[in-house]
Amino acid sequence: MDWDKLRIFHAVADAGSLTHAGETLHLSQSAVSRQIRALEESLGTTLFHRHARGLILTEQGELLFDATSSMTRRLDAASARIRDSEDEVFGELRVTTTLGFGTLWLAPRLPKLYEKYPELKIDLMLEERVLDLPMREADVAIRMKEPSQADLIRRRLMSVSMRLYATKEYLDRNGRPETMEDLSTHRLICQNVSAAQVSAGTNLVKELLTYDMRSTLTVNNYFGVLQGVINHLGIGVLPDYVSEMFVEDRVGLPALERVLPEVESSEIPVYLAYPEELRHSQRIAAFRDFVTQEIMEYRKRTRDD
């Protein structure tokens, strides 16, 4: 099959419209239509159902789109490896991690990476869903458990724990719990136990809720939990790395205090992973080394504290 026709077919299937695909490909609508018609004739099948609202793939079209999607991912990977220079770091790097870790730990540190590599283009994808690295849904992942997919290079970065935090203002106003039983007179801010999160966090929340809290606020991510805490709504279940962001000498930020220091979840491992085929990528190496260095400095600061 003619790759040019397949490339145009993929763009049309992705856009769902001849016009939009033509804009992406810098071709006229009639030229795109001719190529699709020629491809259908060569295959002896119809690839699209044509409707007033756009184009819908037929069953045969879905099969071909799966194939062209796989081809596109592989071409993207090959192109990335070719573009990687031995001495320069530039181009797009797609990074996936959880919303909590991405917003609270990684994003505040990225200015250092951009300062060193100003031509890097990072696509930061924050979601609890584990993206498929071998299928090139992302280039590199930071996850709260060891990846199970084959053909991945993985490195354990550190461990985190879920702990209890509240602002000084909230605790001054409502009192400081001294026992787990004291929590029942406070408002707990946490993720719902049914929300996508690490099992260690779920287990800690389940234990806390046995103390019959008078009031709760549940949010479906740790960034939202943090917003509730820093606005003095109650005691929050948060990853331990947030404490570094909210200390007395950070102007404009409320200081957080750890509540019941003996209470914390089991350790949660944090892993960095990327496909074996990107082993020699300079962008991957730059990001890996940056994260590793930041974690070393973070560990030193937390030990000193």
Side-chain angles (χ1 to χ4, degrees):
M1 285 183 280
D2 187 330
W3 171 245
D4 279 340
K5 292 184 177 64
L6 291 175
R7 179 176 61 89
I8 291 170
F9 161 79
H10 184 83
V12 172
D14 193 45
S17 161
L18 295 172
T19 302
H20 292 156
E23 291 171 354
T24 301
L25 297 168
H26 305 292
L27 295 172
S28 67
Q29 179 180 341
S30 59
V32 173
S33 179
R34 282 196 302 272
Q35 293 294 325
I36 295 299
R37 195 159 51 247
L39 181 60
E40 289 179 325
E41 289 173 358
S42 69
L43 293 172
T45 190
T46 301
L47 298 173
F48 294 99
H49 293 302
R50 290 157 174 82
H51 293 275
R53 290 178 294 177
L55 301 176
I56 300 174
L57 287 167
T58 62
E59 182 179 351
Q60 292 78 10
E62 291 280 4
L63 290 172
L64 186 59
F65 185 59
D66 287 344
T68 57
S69 296
S70 177
M71 293 166 66
T72 299
R73 284 192 292 269
R74 290 183 175 277
L75 285 170
D76 287 344
S79 177
R81 292 170 63 183
I82 291 169
R83 289 197 307 269
D84 272 340
S85 163
E86 293 185 0
D87 303 314
E88 295 182 80
V89 176
F90 60 92
E92 184 182 46
L93 180 67
R94 296 172 298 163
V95 179
T96 180
T97 188
T98 62
L99 179 62
F101 192 84
T103 56
L104 302 177
W105 193 92
L106 180 58
R109 289 169 163 83
L110 288 179
K112 293 183 183 178
L113 182 63
Y114 278 114
E115 183 177 350
K116 189 172 183 180
Y117 304 110
E119 295 186 31
L120 199 57
K121 299 176 181 177
I122 296 175
D123 181 5
L124 190 56
M125 296 175 281
L126 305 181
E127 53 183 297
E128 303 308 313
R129 182 173 70 91
V130 177
L131 299 187
D132 192 327
L133 297 183
M135 290 300 291
R136 298 306 311 282
E137 289 186 327
D139 299 317
V140 59
I142 298 177
R143 284 291 167 189
M144 304 302 116
K145 66 177 182 179
E146 184 172 6
S148 58
Q149 292 171 298
D151 301 324
L152 292 181
I153 297 172
R154 65 208 74 198
R155 172 183 294 187
R156 182 163 178 164
L157 298 173
M158 62 177 182
S159 295
V160 300
S161 297
M162 305 304 298
R163 296 174 177 175
L164 298 176
Y165 294 96
T167 60
K168 182 178 184 299
E169 178 179 327
Y170 172 84
L171 295 172
D172 287 344
R173 187 172 67 239
N174 296 277
R176 287 167 171 78
E178 296 183 1
T179 67
M180 292 284 278
E181 287 73 16
D182 293 340
L183 290 173
S184 62
T185 63
H186 290 268
R187 180 176 298 110
L188 182 70
I189 309 173
C190 59
Q191 287 210 63
N192 190 295
V193 293
S194 62
Q197 60 180 310
V198 292
S199 59
T202 300
N203 293 337
L204 178 58
V205 169
K206 285 181 178 179
E207 180 185 356
L208 294 170
L209 291 176
T210 64
Y211 289 89
D212 194 22
M213 303 291 176
R214 70 172 186 187
S215 177
T216 61
L217 169 65
T218 56
V219 190
N220 66 348
N221 61 71
Y222 292 126
F223 183 75
V225 172
L226 179 62
Q227 299 312 302
V229 171
I230 64 177
N231 283 285
H232 321 297
L233 280 174
I235 297 172
V237 180
L238 289 164
D240 53 20
Y241 51 76
V242 303
S243 60
E244 183 192 30
M245 302 169 58
F246 295 86
V247 293
E248 292 283 3
D249 58 355
R250 294 286 290 273
V251 177
L253 296 177
L256 292 188
E257 289 186 21
R258 187 173 176 188
V259 177
L260 296 175
E262 71 279 7
V263 176
E264 66 178 14
S265 73
S266 57
E267 285 194 344
I268 303 161
V270 180
Y271 283 87
L272 181 143
Y274 52 93
E276 174 73 34
E277 65 188 59
L278 295 180
R279 173 186 293 274
H280 301 294
S281 166
Q282 295 303 306
R283 286 167 297 165
I284 294 284
F287 182 79
R288 179 198 62 213
D289 295 346
F290 158 75
V291 170
T292 302
Q293 181 62 36
E294 285 297 309
I295 285 176
M296 290 174 59
E297 294 177 8
Y298 166 74
R299 283 175 172 167
K300 183 177 185 302
R301 286 193 299 272
T302 53
R303 280 198 306 268
D304 292 344
D305 293 342

